[in-house]
Amino acid sequence: MKYIIDTNSLLALIRYYIQMDKDNILMDFFKNHLTSKQFIIIDKVLEESKYVSQGIILNYLSFLSDKSFMKHAELPFKTENIIAPSPSKFIRQVEHQFTNNIIKTSKKLTNEEYNSQIKLFLENADIKQILVSLNIFRTGELVTIVTEETEISNDNKLFKKIPSICKILNIPTITIAELLEKYFFINTSNLLQNL
């Protein structure tokens, strides 16, 4: 199983867990799983991490700025040339299933404006994580996206959020808390006593 971790999950990892990790248990766990390629951070997420909350992610997870660690772990996962397994079908899904039609109608976008928004959407971190997932599935491996987003609120955005799109594509999603629980509370129930 591989886990693709989004920017908000990295932020939650820092704010709620790593800051209390006095013995570096979680830090070492996270680094080991990145090195073994069970955890994936894509280039777009790493780029976003530089600007979120004044760079707190890279301040705490400084190994994500360490060139030798990144080279050894083969990170970040490059998405520049990644495409959907069935590109034309995927574009139709973007236009018809991933678009929040109520917002599209209310914004009264011209076709040119809408197509421009689609282009931007296809380059953002969220959709790149989904494309990476689809390509991993194609190899026969299981993959889950780790995200703090929910299906409920869309913030009046033109495109649906990660969990909504993943539901359409049958890509599992979990939160960082669920990921940590999966590893620590099931396998090593005394972790909390060590933190």
Side-chain angles (χ1 to χ4, degrees), residues 93-143:
Q93 287 180 302
V94 169
E95 293 171 346
H96 302 290
Q97 293 179 289
F98 305 165
T99 299
N100 193 338
N101 288 318
I102 295 169
I103 302 300
K104 180 183 176 188
T105 305
S106 72
K107 289 188 176 188
K108 298 177 183 170
L109 298 173
T110 65
N111 281 342
E112 189 175 280
E113 290 169 329
Y114 178 60
N115 288 333
S116 175
Q117 290 295 313
I118 287 175
K119 267 185 147 172
L120 290 173
F121 178 66
L122 292 173
E123 290 302 316
N124 80 29
D126 292 353
I127 206 68
K128 291 292 188 178
Q129 291 173 102
I130 289 166
L131 290 171
V132 169
S133 297
L134 292 173
N135 280 278
I136 290 172
F137 275 133
R138 200 166 74 177
T139 68
E141 284 191 82
L142 298 177
V143 64

Side-chain angles (χ1 to χ4, degrees), residues 125-163:
D126 292 353
I127 206 68
K128 291 292 188 178
Q129 291 173 102
I130 289 166
L131 290 171
V132 169
S133 297
L134 292 173
N135 280 278
I136 290 172
F137 275 133
R138 200 166 74 177
T139 68
E141 284 191 82
L142 298 177
V143 64
T144 297
I145 294 181
V146 182
T147 182
E148 306 311 295
E149 289 183 4
T150 63
E151 286 185 70
I152 298 168
S153 174
N154 192 321
D155 306 326
N156 288 323
K157 292 184 179 173
L158 182 57
F159 298 100
K160 295 178 180 177
K161 291 186 155 197
I162 291 175

Side-chain angles (χ1 to χ4, degrees), residues 18-78:
I18 295 288
Q19 289 186 21
M20 298 180 295
D21 184 24
K22 302 302 179 210
D23 296 327
N24 289 329
I25 294 168
L26 286 176
M27 188 79 76
D28 292 341
F29 161 81
F30 197 72
K31 282 173 72 173
N32 290 337
H33 282 75
L34 284 169
T35 304
S36 71
K37 296 176 186 37
Q38 282 184 293
F39 292 175
I40 297 171
I41 296 176
I42 67 166
D43 49 8
K44 297 278 186 175
V45 166
L46 189 61
E47 186 64 28
E48 281 181 356
S49 296
K50 294 176 184 176
Y51 306 105
V52 172
S53 295
Q54 299 155 341
I56 191 173
I57 294 170
L58 297 182
N59 286 339
Y60 275 89
L61 302 178
S62 58
F63 56 86
L64 293 177
S65 299
D66 179 339
K67 288 181 181 177
S68 111
F69 173 79
M70 296 298 278
K71 184 177 179 179
H72 172 69
E74 297 176 11
L75 287 170
F77 190 100
K78 306 280 188 233

